[in-house]
Amino acid sequence: MNLKDLSILLVEPSLTQRHIIEQQLNALGITFIDSFTTGQEAMAALHRSKPDVVISSLYLPDMTGTDLVFLMRDDETLLQIAFMLISSETSLAFLDPIRQAGAVAILPKPFRKEDLRTALNATLDYLETPQIALEDVDTEVLQVLIVDDSSMSRNHLRRILEAAGIEHIYEAADGAAGAEMVNRHFFDLVISDYNMPEMDGRELVEFIRQKSAQPGLPILMVTSESNQNRLAAVQQSGVSAICDKPFTSETIQQLLLQLLQQPD
């Protein structure tokens, strides 16, 4: 599947914004676009025909984008459809529930065409995870821990790791559970989200570096966090690498090689 093959259901009440997004999608070669103004119209359309991805604004006339994605996640027939939010909202309180529901991307308004391209390429990987090669890495013996409070995000990362030939993959739903697992089990790599309950990604990194028996454990932070002060604090805590969401399998492949490849 290529970008031009994607079918899009767009939910945007503003005619001007709808035209802007449609033009940006067209510029990427995407022409299969159905546009709606309300969440109820979108849900009715989803039950008639399932697109590859739903792109929604946060504030709709009859509900929020959060309401829409949770309606989709509560419906088994719509559960696996990729969801992308485009919004000028920056508050974590509004965005975190959508992130937890497994949005493939949260794009700002206004967004750049390249940001949209990256998000849609990440959607392609979500729909059809490609096989990736990790040369000079013994993937059969690697022990990897994924720490993320979004089950869909964990599943997406698991699929990418499995596509790389990694077999021993463990999961934790928050930083505190991740810290406990690091105390009980040897790992070769931890992949962690930043915003999590109980213990966030920065606190998990600090725990591993300062209090665990594996202080040199490679840690990859995968996050949609845009606050530069928070990201700087994560870097200072000793994270090995940071990967922005949305991400592609190729990006994860490059970071895994950087963190796991044995030096000559």
Side-chain angles (χ1 to χ4, degrees), residues 1-9 25 29-33 51-53 84 119-121 123-124 127:
M1 181 180 286
N2 298 311
L3 284 183
K4 62 181 180 60
D5 300 319
L6 285 174
S7 58
I8 307 290
L9 188 150
L25 290 169
I30 299 171
T31 57
F32 301 108
I33 308 168
D52 294 311
V53 57
M84 184 186 307
L120 290 172
N121 279 326
T123 301
L124 289 178
L127 297 171

Side-chain angles (χ1 to χ4, degrees), residues 136-161:
D136 301 323
V137 176
D138 192 353
T139 55
E140 293 183 359
V141 300
L142 282 178
Q143 309 280 322
V144 179
L145 172 63
I146 301 171
V147 188
D148 197 309
D149 56 328
S150 166
S151 60
M152 293 196 70
S153 294
R154 294 198 306 272
N155 290 338
H156 184 33
L157 280 167
R158 173 180 282 274
R159 287 197 298 268
I160 292 175
L161 294 175

Side-chain angles (χ1 to χ4, degrees), residues 128-258:
E128 296 180 352
T129 305
Q131 294 295 313
I132 60 177
L134 298 179
E135 297 179 1
D136 301 323
V137 176
D138 192 353
T139 55
E140 293 183 359
V141 300
L142 282 178
Q143 309 280 322
V144 179
L145 172 63
I146 301 171
V147 188
D148 197 309
D149 56 328
S150 166
S151 60
M152 293 196 70
S153 294
R154 294 198 306 272
N155 290 338
H156 184 33
L157 280 167
R158 173 180 282 274
R159 287 197 298 268
I160 292 175
L161 294 175
E162 289 174 342
I166 297 174
E167 301 175 1
H168 304 291
I169 304 169
Y170 302 78
E171 298 182 17
D174 58 55
E180 182 180 347
M181 293 183 72
V182 169
N183 268 342
R184 292 189 286 106
H185 192 90
F186 173 83
F187 292 104
D188 297 288
L189 173 69
V190 171
I191 302 177
S192 176
D193 187 29
Y194 178 81
N195 291 302
M196 296 182 292
E198 302 297 331
M199 176 187 285
D200 66 23
R202 179 186 59 80
E203 293 169 326
L204 176 60
V205 173
E206 290 177 345
F207 171 84
I208 293 173
R209 294 288 181 252
Q210 301 171 15
K211 299 180 181 180
S212 79
Q214 306 175 64
L217 177 60
I219 307 170
L220 171 60
M221 188 74 68
V222 179
T223 180
S224 56
E225 178 60 60
S226 59
N227 184 294
Q228 293 303 311
N229 291 331
R230 291 176 182 168
L231 290 175
V234 170
Q235 291 175 325
Q236 292 173 4
S237 69
V239 70
S240 307
I242 296 178
C243 176
D244 293 332
K245 292 181 180 178
F247 56 83
T248 63
S249 295
E250 182 181 0
T251 301
I252 295 295
Q253 176 190 30
Q254 292 170 352
L255 288 168
L256 290 178
L257 286 171
Q258 172 187 323

Side-chain angles (χ1 to χ4, degrees), residues 62-131:
D62 56 342
M63 64 178 73
T64 65
T66 308
D67 297 326
L68 177 59
V69 70
F70 274 96
L71 284 173
M72 292 170 58
R73 298 302 180 238
D74 287 339
D75 187 325
E76 289 187 1
T77 66
L78 308 177
L79 180 62
Q80 298 302 324
I81 295 176
F83 184 91
M84 184 186 307
L85 181 75
I86 298 180
S87 174
S88 57
E89 181 62 68
T90 59
S91 170
L92 181 63
F94 288 101
L95 300 181
D96 195 54
I98 292 179
R99 182 189 62 80
Q100 290 186 32
V104 292
I106 299 176
L107 295 183
K109 284 183 180 177
F111 58 87
R112 300 177 305 164
K113 185 172 74 173
E114 286 310 307
D115 294 331
L116 181 60
R117 186 195 302 275
T118 298
L120 290 172
N121 279 326
T123 301
L124 289 178
D125 283 357
Y126 174 84
L127 297 171
E128 296 180 352
T129 305
Q131 294 295 313

